[in-house]
Each structure stands twice: as C-alpha cells, then as structure tokens.
Amino acid sequence: MGSYRALCILVLFVIFDLFGSLHALETISGTHFIADDENGSLVSSDGNFKLGFFSPGKSQARYVGIWFNKISEQTVVWVANRETPIRNSAGIFKIGGDGNLAVFCCNQSSPLWSTNVSVPAQTSAARLLDSGNLVLVAKETMIWQSFDYPTDTILPGMKFGWNRKNGLNHILTSWKSIDDLTPGEFSSRFDLHGIPQCFLYKNSVPHWRSGPWNGRNLNGLPEIGSGKDYFSDRIDLINITFVSNDNDNEIYIKSSPKKGSVFSRIVLESMGLLKRKIWHESQRWVRVQIVLHDLCDEYMRCGANAICNEDRSAHCACLPGFERLYSQDWYLKCQETRKEVCGKGNGEGFVRLEGVKFPDARTSTLYSNMSLEECERECLKSCNCTGYANVYVDEMGRGCIAWYGELRDMRRFKSGQDFYLRVDAVELAQCFYYLWRRNAKRNKGKKQKQQSRQRLVLDSARSLSNLHKDSPNSIGESGNTELTLFELILPSPKKSSFPVRNSEPVSSTARTKCSINDVMNTTFDGR
C-alpha cells in the first residue's frame, strides 16, 4: 500500500512538472512572450533558474524576476521592474517593437520597464543562461545582459566592478523590505580613487569598506568560516577572482564554483548586511561570510589616525605618535603629538602593526614592482607619507602600497596584515622603553618566583639539617652534614623582537623599524 501511494505521488509530480513545462519557454522572441495570467515562464536549459512574474512576501504587487528553480525556498536574484510594479495579473514580458525586452501592462503602448538599448536589427531574442544571466541577442551578438544591471544579488560568474569601456559600474542596491522591492537605503559598489575598494553606503554615506585586494581576498573581509553558522565541507567550493585590467579597462571581482553544482549568492539585505550564502542539503541558506559583523566594521568608527579593536572594552584608541585631542570628547579625535615641518624629523622610522585592516586606500598609491624595503625608502622621500604595507598576503611577492595623509578606518583583524606606521625617534624610543619595561616585569616576576622556590629549598634544607643533628643514626656522625643544593637557573631574558635596523641608536639619524604586537593591546589604550 505504501509503495502504491509513493508511485501515485511520483506520477502526479511528473504530470504537474509536465504541465508547468508546457508554459515554460526556452526563448522569448517577437512571437513568444510571457503572460502573467497564463503563468508563463522562461527556464534555463539546465533547469536551475527560472524567469517569470511573482509577488514578494505579503505584497500583491507583480514583478518580473529571476529565481532559483530547484530549491524549495523561492529566492529571487534579479528584478526587472522593481520601481514600477504591476497591481494586477495583466502583465506581459516580451520583445517590443524596437527590439528591446520590455514589461507591459494593461494594453498600454509604453512599457513600464525596458532594456533600452540600440538594437541593430528588428529580429532579436532573449534567453536565460545556465548562470542565471538573462541575455538579449541580435544577429548572434549579445547586446544586453542582466548581469550588467544587478539588483541586490551577485551570482557566480557575475563581474562586480567597473567597465570603463562601456561606462558600466555594477551597483548593488538593497530592497526596501521583503515586501517592497523598490531601492532601499543601502548600496554597494567599487570606488576607483587611489586603489580600488568596495564600499557599502547608507544613503550615499560610506558605511563599510572592503580594503584593497591582497592576492587572496579583499583585505577587510572577514575570514570565510569565521561566523558561527557555516558548514566546513562547503566553504571551500567557491573561487574568488579579482581582475584589474588596464588594457580592457576593467576592474572587477567575481566568484565561480570550484567543482560540482553548489548554489551560492552574495546578497545585500534591506537592513544593510552584505552576506555570502550557500544552499545546504538541510534545505536552507547558510551564511558563510558577513559584512558589518561587529562595531569595528562600521566605516570610521574611531575617526582618523585611530584604530578599532572589538576585543577591548574601549574600542577606539589613537595610533602610536598620536593622542586624543580632547580627553573628555565622546568621539575620538587624534592629533600628532610632535608635528615636524617635513616628515617626522631625525631618527624617524616605522612601527609594525600586526593583524590590521589597511587604512582607507583612497589616499594611497600602489607600487606594483617595489619590494617592501624599496617601499620604505619611497615612503621616507615624501613628507606626506604616513605608512606602507605589502599589498599581497604572500610576503615574498613584490608590490606595496604607500599611504599619504590621514589614516582612516583602521581596525584589528584576526586575518589582517602587517602595516608599517611612520613615527619619529621619540615614539620609537617609547616603544623600545615599553618593551624593556614589559620584559623587565616578566623577568622580575620569574625572579620572585625563583627566589620563593629557593627560600623553600633552603628552609627545607635547614629542617633536614636539624633532623640530622638530633638523630643518632644520621649520616655523618660528626653532625657536619653537607647538603648539595642544586642551583635553579632562570632562563635568560629573551632578546627583544623589536630590532633596530643598522644597530644605530634610536636618537641618531638612522631610520629605524621596530615590530609591534602586544603594544597594540596595551600602549594604545593609554593614548
């Protein structure tokens, strides 16, 4: 009986699927179109994506959109008429008289939405590719594609960035809400000033910044798998590629599956969270990466020449060489403690800040063929240069970035990189003094523990000696028992991990570089 019921359900499913396929088109042309009242649709050849009319959430408004076709949760990835929804089921999606794809309603001659391109021939057609990309083709040439006009979602294979050749800047814009698909207050796009970075804006004001590409990922993106809600067997199935091609005038980032078929997307949600998700076998979307993960993700949370640390109770602190302008000011404002006419003065050098998100790269310059040492010398040539860093995660690679002017939007980051901050001789001396004092305290603590242990041994020895004197059977009949006490040797203090280059005094004119790690957790808090 159970097998018979299962067979009936299977037959019904096949019938319904066949019935639905009768209304699904492979191509939209001058004679084939999609009508909402006929439940028409356009399906990709592999069946993964579907285009048709839909209503989001609790809304009754009708939109033309593309969604994943093989998953249980309807997930829309592109919308045509998001600013001009239809209020009934009289919508039609077809090739207009000028050869453009267009959304019409209620027998009106003017479209509510159109691809609005110049069509070289009156015979054009539209197809939905296996990638989820809707393309308009004329004379076997693609003249328009939905991937060039994203709404709130980036799909694998989609180029997200700039194309200077055709003037296209791919911009993500959030929905107003799950029921209203009109553009919300959040948007995301690449900014090409200085070194390209991706920005998330709230009402055109920077809200988050990605940092520059570091050879593996964008410098300011959280590590994949750093969130609580992820599956380790799925996070490594996507390749991330960054392209900056001067010849083709393109700058973009895109993702692609490494193997198999995994449904993934990057979506800008209506609340301003930028999330990367995959579809898991548990029949739900799983987040593997998120932007605006904590307070320090917010752009300029701590102001210029400061750094944000989510792990500290006081999140914001001034960088070495800077101090709070107003001690009682709620908003941190950091100014240089010693301002020189040019540069930082004699004996200047660099402090290495480990594990940070690079400052805003719009005030930076990329030196693609310089080593880190060459970049240091280049930075010292300019009075305005405030720091430099190796652009790539691979330390052996060439290429560096130098920053000029204020350092904005820095934070501590577990997956961050090293940044070399330019400071003067006095600041370097303070760093060395801090290290000396820290090591001295550690050694003092070890010495006190050693002395306590030695006193304990001596006290025990005296007790044993007294016992020997009082006992007639003690070793050494004369009572002058000799006890061999083993000396407890303390480990010698470790050499400082902040070496002075050229072994010259800090106060000299030698340019010095020192490495800072714990300083960022301690010295900064006192600023």
Side-chain angles (χ1 to χ4, degrees):
M1 184 68 180
S3 60
Y4 176 76
R5 178 179 294 180
L7 179 62
C8 290
I9 293 174
L10 178 62
V11 170
L12 287 173
F13 177 80
V14 171
I15 291 174
F16 288 142
D17 187 61
L18 178 62
F19 179 79
S21 67
L22 293 175
H23 293 80
L25 300 175
E26 294 182 357
T27 303
I28 297 177
S29 63
T31 56
H32 295 86
F33 57 87
I34 295 174
D36 190 13
D37 58 359
E38 296 179 2
N39 197 30
S41 63
L42 183 68
V43 178
S44 61
S45 62
D46 62 1
N48 285 339
F49 291 94
K50 187 174 184 177
L51 179 147
F53 285 87
F54 74 99
S55 294
K58 299 178 181 179
S59 173
Q60 299 299 315
R62 304 294 287 172
Y63 299 86
V64 173
I66 301 172
W67 58 87
F68 289 99
N69 189 40
K70 290 184 177 179
I71 64 176
S72 56
E73 178 183 332
Q74 187 183 58
T75 304
V76 177
V77 298
W78 182 81
V79 183
N81 58 318
R82 66 185 302 191
E83 298 187 53
T84 52
I86 300 172
R87 302 301 174 183
N88 53 44
S89 60
I92 295 176
F93 190 54
K94 67 177 185 177
I95 300 289
D98 59 355
N100 277 281
L101 267 175
V103 179
F104 292 89
C105 178
C106 314
N107 297 320
Q108 295 176 352
S109 58
S110 298
L112 298 176
W113 175 91
S114 170
T115 52
N116 194 29
V117 293
S118 177
V119 181
Q122 293 300 314
T123 55
S124 56
R127 295 197 306 270
L128 183 58
L129 305 183
D130 293 345
S131 61
N133 188 13
L134 176 65
V135 297
L136 180 65
V137 179
K139 290 185 177 181
E140 299 183 354
T141 301
M142 187 184 70
I143 58 175
W144 181 92
Q145 61 177 344
S146 62
F147 271 19
D148 281 339
Y149 303 91
T151 49
D152 70 329
T153 300
I154 301 175
L155 290 174
M158 180 185 292
K159 295 178 180 180
F160 181 67
W162 276 86
N163 187 327
R164 291 193 181 99
K165 188 181 296 184
N166 54 25
L168 282 175
N169 182 13
H170 305 96
I171 300 174
L172 285 185
T173 309
S174 65
W175 294 358
K176 207 165 189 178
S177 70
I178 59 174
D179 304 317
D180 185 354
L181 308 193
T182 55
E185 59 182 347
F186 295 97
S187 63
S188 181
R189 64 179 181 270
F190 264 91
D191 188 300
L192 302 187
H193 293 89
I195 298 175
Q197 305 170 104
C198 180
F199 275 82
L200 174 61
Y201 298 89
K202 182 178 182 180
N203 296 323
S204 301
V205 177
H207 194 49
W208 170 84
R209 178 184 61 87
S210 71
W213 179 258
N214 64 14
R216 296 181 187 173
N217 207 339
L218 294 168
N219 166 263
L221 276 178
E223 233 174 11
I224 292 179
S226 60
K228 295 181 180 179
D229 190 15
Y230 74 95
F231 289 82
S232 60
D233 63 332
R234 288 285 176 164
I235 62 175
D236 196 36
L237 294 182
I238 302 295
N239 273 322
I240 304 295
T241 305
F242 177 77
V243 174
S244 180
N245 193 324
D246 294 332
N247 295 329
D248 294 335
N249 288 316
E250 282 190 298
I251 296 175
Y252 63 86
I253 189 170
K254 73 173 183 178
S255 64
S256 58
K258 285 186 179 180
K259 57 183 178 180
S261 58
V262 54
F263 295 132
S264 68
R265 62 190 174 111
I266 297 173
V267 58
L268 177 55
E269 297 181 344
S270 57
M271 298 303 292
L273 297 178
L274 192 61
K275 295 181 179 179
R276 179 179 165 193
K277 297 182 176 182
I278 60 170
W279 184 255
H280 195 260
E281 287 88 349
S282 59
Q283 298 300 300
R284 65 188 181 100
W285 285 105
V286 175
R287 171 178 60 82
V288 295
Q289 204 169 36
I290 185 170
V291 161
L292 287 174
H293 183 264
D294 54 42
L295 290 174
C296 289
D297 260 352
E298 185 179 338
Y299 182 77
M300 287 289 286
R301 175 73 180 180
C302 295
N305 303 317
I307 192 163
C308 189
N309 189 345
E310 179 67 18
D311 295 331
R312 310 290 294 181
S313 56
H315 291 86
C316 299
C318 293
L319 292 169
F322 296 86
E323 63 183 3
R324 188 188 294 266
L325 183 59
Y326 304 111
S327 59
Q328 302 301 321
D329 196 349
W330 179 259
Y331 296 99
L332 189 70
K333 295 179 181 177
C334 301
Q335 66 173 358
E336 281 192 88
T337 53
R338 292 165 293 279
K339 184 67 177 177
E340 298 288 342
V341 176
C342 179
K344 310 277 182 184
N346 290 335
E348 62 184 348
F350 295 88
V351 172
R352 187 177 74 190
L353 310 181
E354 298 179 1
V356 301
K357 176 181 178 179
F358 287 161
D360 192 339
R362 290 182 294 181
T363 60
S364 67
T365 299
L366 173 65
Y367 299 104
S368 57
N369 293 319
M370 283 189 183
S371 66
L372 205 58
E373 290 74 18
E374 291 169 336
C375 197
E376 176 186 342
R377 293 193 290 270
E378 181 67 26
C379 184
L380 288 170
K381 292 178 183 178
S382 171
C383 299
N384 243 357
C385 186
T386 47
Y388 68 94
N390 192 337
V391 64
Y392 299 113
V393 175
D394 180 8
E395 294 183 1
M396 299 303 294
R398 295 181 67 82
C400 68
I401 309 174
W403 277 260
Y404 298 85
E406 287 186 335
L407 301 173
R408 298 171 174 268
D409 191 40
M410 293 186 70
R411 66 163 296 172
R412 287 297 305 272
F413 219 51
K414 291 181 180 178
S415 56
Q417 295 169 250
D418 293 348
F419 177 81
Y420 295 87
L421 175 69
R422 188 175 183 175
V423 295
D424 65 6
V426 177
E427 191 63 38
L428 282 176
Q430 289 181 350
C431 289
F432 280 108
Y433 172 71
Y434 160 76
L435 268 181
W436 172 82
R437 186 179 62 178
R438 187 192 66 178
N439 291 335
K441 285 182 178 179
R442 288 179 178 176
N443 293 333
K444 182 179 179 181
K446 291 179 181 179
K447 187 175 182 180
Q448 288 175 343
K449 289 181 180 179
Q450 175 66 15
Q451 289 174 345
S452 298
R453 292 174 65 183
Q454 288 177 338
R455 282 196 298 269
L456 179 61
V457 172
L458 289 173
D459 290 341
S460 299
R462 292 191 187 98
S463 299
L464 286 172
S465 178
N466 292 331
L467 285 173
H468 284 307
K469 289 178 181 179
D470 297 337
S471 173
N473 298 320
S474 62
I475 300 175
E477 295 180 359
S478 64
N480 297 322
T481 306
E482 294 183 3
L483 294 179
T484 303
L485 298 179
F486 292 93
E487 183 181 3
L488 299 179
I489 302 175
L490 291 173
S492 59
K494 293 182 179 180
K495 293 183 179 180
S496 169
S497 59
F498 303 70
V500 181
R501 299 188 66 187
N502 301 328
S503 67
E504 294 184 6
V506 173
S507 58
S508 73
T509 58
R511 299 183 179 94
T512 309
K513 178 166 61 180
C514 64
S515 168
I516 297 290
N517 188 0
D518 293 339
V519 173
M520 296 186 65
N521 287 327
T522 52
T523 305
F524 284 6
D525 292 345
R527 295 287 178 189

